[in-house]
Amino acid sequence: MDPSEMLEGLQIDGSEEEKVKAMDKIIAALTDTQNEDMLDELSVSLVEQGLLDELYKFFEDGIAPTKVAQVLAEVAKTEDVREPCVQKGFVPLLMACLNKDDVLLATQACRAMGNMCFDNDLGREVVDASNGIQILLNLLKSNVKNTKTDADKLRTIACGFLLNLTNTHDVLQEKAISEGAFDVLEQYLAEYFYGADGINHDDGLCNMVLVTIISITDTESCKEKLLQSTLLKTLSECLDSPKCGDHTTTVLDLLLNLGEWDEVKDYLAETELSNHLIRLIQSNTGRADENSHHIVKMASDLLILLLTGEKSMEVLFAKGDGPIFVESMKWLESDDEHLQLSGALAVGNFARSDEHCQKLVEEGLVDVLVQVLWPDGHPNSSISVQHATLSALRNLAIPAANKSTLIKAGVVEKVLTLASTEVHAVTFKLLGVLRMLVDGQAETARQLGTNREFVAQLVEWASIEEHPGVKGEASRLLAWLIKNSRSEDVMRNIVRLEGIQHLVPMATSEHVVMQNEALVALTLISSTVLADAAVAMKEADLTNIIATLLKDEKTLPEILCNALTLTKAVCTADSLKEEMATSGILDIVRKLTSHEDTKVQEGASSLLVLVEDTADADR
């Protein structure tokens, strides 16, 4: 493959036929798969030795423009040749070919420019400057129903040109859409996806259309315009077409990508998409082939994605009568692990309001979830299913009316069997379930709080630095056991097992709710078992923690009041008196008597009175 010999045929003063033969030799060399590793090198060498100059002359002289465009299409496959092709000025010449009624010429011109634009912004900008997007879209529109020979190839190549022209280029994506790209692509799907006459279906074209839609909907503004079109509805209907076949995963992938946007979820929830997805799952479940498994996974994932939106979830729940809700109940009892997971995730998403939670519990979902979590007397072997099921149980446990039902169903005992897990994500969820179930449930809180083995484990979890979620949930559960049980035995158990060292620093958490929970728990301990806890509080540096809260101008009035209440509760402890006196807390409290919040003023004044009375009694 000597480049100079190939170019000689172009440079001699021969006939057009001879020049075409010379170009055919170059095309044959550039498409020789046996020498694939050398093709890029050959393209570069041909360009360096003057190929583009010769081709440009041919174009100017009107010599075999279709063949010239084909040669350009082949050399432009090479990255290093794309910019030289553009800089030589071929784009305006090629663009003019799209206005001619010549299918083969337009096809090769689209190939050439599509390759020049692949990962090449210079090419894209020059095409844009030549009004390329509008010309290309007009070409696509005019050929929707063209029945001429090779028109099918032109449609696919032109669509590929649109893909390469706009891919990852936000400005051109938006421009293509504003000039009607969605309408054109939807026309192509309607004509060639459904194949209404049984003849028109074109797999290659449909795949290119779908990939192009994926590409040009890559920005927020494009998604907004998508909602103003009917393309989303058409895409969902594609899944119900018997012609979907190999395109099923592409359509699902496209909808999964678009469904990340809440407005798209809401739109799709109002279509028949959920029914189409359910049918896909039903028809592919139980099949042994990998593609069927993949379709079941993607379809169920898309259904769950739709449920993550607030409005879309309500639409699909349909007061408990929605097809997804009915189907997800069956999934929970499925032998398919992914469907079980999807069922648990569906319940967790439906259980985002008290009304839904109560209905789900009335429907008997608790026993079903417990069975999923603990089938055949053993914990479910799937970590993902454990995590999703615990998440669903946590949500169901939030309404006060549901708590006793979950407790009676043995949820606490089943959840505790997972305490030995080494998976922090599962630990995080099980702690959330237990925290919800002790809320307002004194006996459950007492039973857990007096369980020495569990509290020891809880304290250990509260020490896990590598997972802030577990650390925070464990600390919060310690506080909730104290608050909800009001039991001296629980408080002493937590003190003896070194829970104080986690409750004290929790008082300065970045989360106000956790600050409050810690202060309330510490106050209850101080008011009930101070003699047992005083030394631990001193070792945990409680005095400095209180001082930090009281002197920080950003501390909320509610936190200040609770901190002052805690200070009153601990200031009588012999082991803390000296620290209180030397820490400067009383000086800070005196300043707080002038605080803008009246409750803070009252709390500060009350504390000072108590301290003075205590001091008089000591004298």
Side-chain angles (χ1 to χ4, degrees), residues 405-418:
T405 303
L406 270 74
I407 292 169
K408 289 175 183 176
V411 171
V412 173
E413 292 77 12
K414 296 300 184 187
V415 168
L416 285 176
T417 62
L418 299 175

Side-chain angles (χ1 to χ4, degrees), residues 33-63:
T33 55
Q34 292 184 350
N35 296 295
E36 194 168 349
D37 294 341
M38 301 174 63
L39 296 183
D40 284 346
E41 184 181 339
L42 175 60
S43 293
V44 172
S45 183
L46 285 167
V47 170
E48 288 176 347
Q49 295 184 43
L51 173 64
L52 299 184
D53 293 331
E54 298 301 325
L55 294 177
Y56 195 84
K57 288 177 192 174
F58 292 174
F59 239 134
E60 285 186 317
D61 296 338
I63 297 173

Side-chain angles (χ1 to χ4, degrees), residues 9-24 58 63 67:
L10 299 180
Q11 295 163 346
I12 60 174
D13 292 329
S15 65
E16 180 172 334
E17 183 179 350
E18 289 175 317
K19 294 183 187 300
V20 168
K21 286 180 179 179
M23 286 189 280
D24 280 336
F58 292 174
I63 297 173
K67 193 65 65 175

Side-chain angles (χ1 to χ4, degrees), residues 92 155 231 281 323 354 359 442 481 594 613:
R155 285 187 281 266
L231 182 56
I281 292 169
D354 284 4
K359 181 169 182 60
L481 291 174
S594 303
D613 289 347

Side-chain angles (χ1 to χ4, degrees), residues 128-149:
D128 182 37
S130 302
N131 195 30
I133 289 178
Q134 190 60 64
I135 292 172
L136 176 56
L137 291 175
N138 287 340
L139 177 73
L140 285 164
K141 290 175 188 175
S142 65
N143 281 278
V144 172
K145 296 188 178 183
N146 189 347
T147 57
K148 288 182 180 179
T149 303

Side-chain angles (χ1 to χ4, degrees), residues 224-251:
E224 289 174 10
K225 290 170 184 172
L226 180 65
L227 289 169
Q228 298 166 10
S229 74
T230 56
L231 182 56
L232 276 173
K233 183 179 179 182
T234 299
L235 286 168
S236 69
E237 289 171 351
C238 285
L239 292 174
D240 196 40
S241 168
K243 302 287 186 180
C244 199
D246 294 338
H247 303 298
T248 301
T249 55
T250 305
V251 176

Side-chain angles (χ1 to χ4, degrees), residues 332-498:
L332 287 171
E333 299 176 355
S334 170
D335 293 330
D336 185 297
E337 181 182 314
H338 194 78
L339 284 182
Q340 246 193 5
L341 170 63
S342 298
L345 290 172
V347 173
N349 278 292
F350 285 133
R352 297 211 304 269
S353 74
D354 284 4
E355 181 183 355
H356 289 187
C357 286
Q358 289 172 33
K359 181 169 182 60
L360 290 169
V361 169
E362 289 168 5
E363 294 282 339
L365 257 294
V366 176
D367 290 335
V368 177
L369 289 171
V370 168
Q371 182 61 31
V372 170
L373 191 63
W374 194 261
D376 305 320
H378 300 282
N380 196 302
S381 59
S382 168
I383 298 301
S384 297
V385 172
Q386 286 183 17
H387 186 272
T389 306
L390 288 168
S391 184
L393 286 169
R394 179 197 176 280
N395 287 0
L396 291 176
I398 292 173
N402 285 355
K403 296 182 191 295
S404 61
T405 303
L406 270 74
I407 292 169
K408 289 175 183 176
V411 171
V412 173
E413 292 77 12
K414 296 300 184 187
V415 168
L416 285 176
T417 62
L418 299 175
S420 59
T421 182
E422 295 181 0
V423 180
H424 291 329
V426 172
T427 302
F428 176 70
K429 289 298 180 182
L430 75 84
L431 287 170
V433 176
L434 294 174
R435 188 164 61 82
M436 289 301 105
L437 289 178
V438 301
D439 184 24
Q441 305 297 310
E443 181 56 24
T444 301
R446 190 195 65 77
Q447 288 177 0
L448 281 176
T450 54
N451 183 330
R452 185 176 179 83
E453 182 180 353
F454 175 69
V455 173
Q457 179 67 76
L458 200 54
V459 170
E460 185 178 328
W461 282 328
S463 306
I464 294 178
E465 297 295 338
E466 63 267 28
H467 197 293
V470 170
K471 180 181 175 68
E473 273 294 330
S475 299
R476 293 188 75 187
L477 184 50
L478 284 171
W480 282 45
L481 291 174
I482 293 165
K483 176 185 175 182
N484 287 285
S485 70
R486 307 281 173 133
S487 162
E488 291 185 19
D489 292 337
V490 169
M491 296 178 200
R492 287 195 176 95
N493 199 29
I494 289 173
V495 171
R496 287 168 189 157
L497 293 169
E498 301 182 353

